[in-house]
Amino acid sequence: MASDFDLYRPSEEHDMLRDSVRALAEAKIAPHAAEVDEEARFPQEARDALVANDLHAVHVPEAFGGAGADALATVIVIEEVARVCGSSSLIPAVNKLGSLPVILSASEELKKRYLTPLAKGDAMFSYCLSEPDAGSDAGGMKTKAVRDGDHWVLDGVKRWITNAGVSDYYTVMAVTDAEKRTKGISAFVVEKDDPGVSFGAPEKKLGIKGSPTREVYLDNVRIPADRMIGAEGTGFATAMKTLDHTRITIAAQALGIAQGALDYAKGYVQERKQFGKPIGDFQGVQFMLADMAMKIEAARQLTYAAAARSERVAEGSEKEDLTFFGAAAKCYASDAAMEVTTDAVQLLGGYGYTRDYPVERMMRDAKITQIYEGTNQVQRIVMARNLP
């Protein structure tokens, strides 16, 4: 058998990307992570560093000025940023979430108009699907869009919108024909400065405090008809296709948070001494570290395999079971992240429970990965309906 058997490992290019993103994250993002969390402010330093190194939206195709990174490369970027700051990892993650409907379904003119400034770092993208009464049941949305000549007029409220108020562009799902249920939902690009667009107060959250989460209010927002993404009535299908791909980015975020917690805990148990020796020498502690590392590696393998499927689907393959694998990666990695970060807090004892150490922040940040882009209960429903 050949010695260069590369079936189950990333390419050399992916490994080099990881090294460069990790170095950048540790130098430019990690020093601000605690302050960003404590002050609940947007991590502008992280955005500046990511834009300067063309890592803020690596998924944008080269045709529109982007890096044209594959799905695994995007995962690695998000993972390595999340390892030091969960809030900052939502910059590349949500830029993909918000813009992927455009990439998947929009006209070439619309792609050029909105993906080009995104690639340059001149704009950010957000995704508006959830509503006050339409969370897991996204098909029950009430935001509506009414045709008026060469325009559409949007009215409604979107809730739990990540990076709302900071992002310049918003992919908005709205009902254009209520009688057709999900087949009567269409997708649009709404701009922050469109008359009638406003934002609620930032939510006061348990974690990812540096990434603003706000309601988006659409009050008689009149936009040109050519801002519809794809054909009328295809918005819900586009939204679901988007989530098949982007749930993997949430898995990457969870994976990075878990890895950061394990790395910190490993260093701590070698320095912390009790009963005359490092606590890392005790078998009970070693077993905890072994379980943490095992869960992380299992999550990484599943996430990377899902990313590979995402890339093949993007290239036209229809045989990848992406819906199942995207849900499985997100569900498993986020459950693992919650377990690993909780154990990291335990390993640090009383210190782990204080804000002087990063693992309590990582534990708080990990929780949301079990909830957004579909709760893990919903992921299990998705998996059961799409068993490979």
Side-chain angles (χ1 to χ4, degrees):
M1 185 176 291
S3 60
D4 59 346
F5 190 69
D6 289 330
L7 188 58
Y8 288 104
R9 69 181 182 192
S11 68
E12 182 179 355
E13 290 78 7
H14 287 109
D15 288 338
M16 291 172 62
L17 174 65
R18 180 190 305 283
D19 292 342
S20 63
V21 178
R22 178 168 294 193
L24 176 73
E26 290 182 344
K28 300 293 186 179
I29 299 175
H32 306 285
E35 177 186 305
V36 162
D37 175 74
E38 190 71 27
E39 298 178 0
R41 67 169 179 81
F42 182 74
Q44 188 61 46
E45 298 91 348
R47 185 187 179 190
D48 292 344
L50 291 169
V51 169
N53 289 273
D54 200 19
L55 295 168
H56 61 289
V58 294
H59 68 285
V60 177
E62 292 179 352
F64 305 103
D70 59 53
L72 179 55
T74 304
V75 157
I76 290 171
V77 170
I78 295 166
E79 176 189 353
E80 288 300 324
V81 175
R83 178 175 167 269
V84 301
C85 181
S87 294
S88 297
S89 70
L90 284 165
I91 295 170
V94 177
N95 274 338
K96 180 169 183 176
L97 173 64
S99 65
L100 193 58
V102 175
I103 294 173
L104 291 174
S105 303
S107 65
E108 289 302 306
E109 194 280 330
L110 211 62
K111 291 178 183 178
K112 182 177 180 180
R113 190 191 315 176
Y114 290 108
L115 296 179
T116 302
L118 174 63
K120 289 181 180 178
D122 294 338
M124 289 175 57
F125 238 113
S126 286
Y127 183 79
C128 297
L129 179 64
S130 295
E131 297 185 1
D133 295 316
S136 295
D137 179 19
M141 69 179 64
K142 296 178 182 177
T143 295
K144 63 181 181 179
V146 177
R147 185 72 184 247
D148 182 14
D150 293 333
H151 293 78
W152 287 90
V153 180
L154 280 67
D155 284 279
V157 178
K158 293 296 181 178
R159 179 169 284 179
W160 311 124
I161 308 307
T162 305
N163 291 341
V166 177
S167 290
D168 304 271
Y169 307 141
Y170 298 81
T171 292
V172 176
M173 306 298 166
V175 177
T176 49
D177 189 339
E179 294 183 358
K180 294 182 179 179
R181 296 182 61 80
T182 58
K183 292 185 179 179
I185 293 173
S186 302
F188 302 86
V189 177
V190 172
E191 298 181 8
K192 178 181 179 179
D193 295 331
D194 285 333
V197 175
S198 60
F199 305 94
E203 301 289 349
K204 297 178 181 179
K205 300 175 298 188
L206 175 72
I208 58 165
K209 293 182 178 181
S211 176
T213 303
R214 304 168 73 178
E215 287 187 326
V216 176
Y217 303 126
L218 305 165
D219 182 13
N220 203 38
V221 177
R222 186 178 182 86
I223 62 173
D226 65 2
R227 285 215 226 142
M228 178 179 281
I229 300 172
E232 183 177 347
T234 63
F236 191 79
T238 295
M240 295 302 104
K241 289 179 183 177
T242 296
L243 292 176
D244 282 346
H245 291 277
T246 59
R247 281 173 177 149
I248 301 164
T249 67
I250 302 305
Q253 182 190 36
L255 180 59
I257 293 170
Q259 186 67 61
L262 174 60
D263 290 348
Y264 195 90
K266 281 194 303 183
Y268 178 86
V269 300
Q270 294 306 316
E271 295 181 4
R272 172 68 170 170
K273 292 184 177 181
Q274 292 288 271
F275 307 102
K277 59 181 178 180
I279 63 173
D281 289 352
F282 292 104
Q283 189 178 66
V285 170
Q286 292 172 352
F287 281 5
M288 288 179 69
L289 291 167
D291 283 342
M292 293 161 72
M294 176 175 62
K295 291 171 185 175
I296 290 172
E297 190 54 35
R300 180 172 287 113
Q301 294 297 327
L302 182 54
T303 300
Y304 287 13
R309 283 175 164 81
S310 171
E311 186 63 24
R312 290 194 290 268
V313 167
E315 293 174 354
S317 174
E318 297 178 355
K319 301 178 180 180
E320 298 298 335
D321 299 320
L322 180 60
T323 301
F324 173 87
F325 277 92
K330 188 269 187 191
C331 186
Y332 185 85
S334 59
D335 281 350
M338 199 66 236
E339 293 166 4
V340 167
T341 54
T342 301
D343 282 348
V345 170
Q346 187 72 18
L347 285 169
L348 267 68
Y351 295 113
Y353 204 66
T354 70
R355 293 183 183 177
D356 293 330
Y357 293 79
V359 291
E360 66 87 28
R361 166 170 51 86
M362 294 169 175
M363 179 180 170
R364 290 186 286 104
D365 287 349
K367 184 59 195 174
I368 191 60
T369 65
Q370 294 180 304
I371 298 172
Y372 57 15
E373 291 206 33
T375 67
N376 282 5
Q377 287 69 35
V378 166
Q379 301 312 313
R380 288 174 168 86
I381 293 171
V382 171
M383 284 185 277
R385 291 176 178 173
N386 294 274
L387 293 174

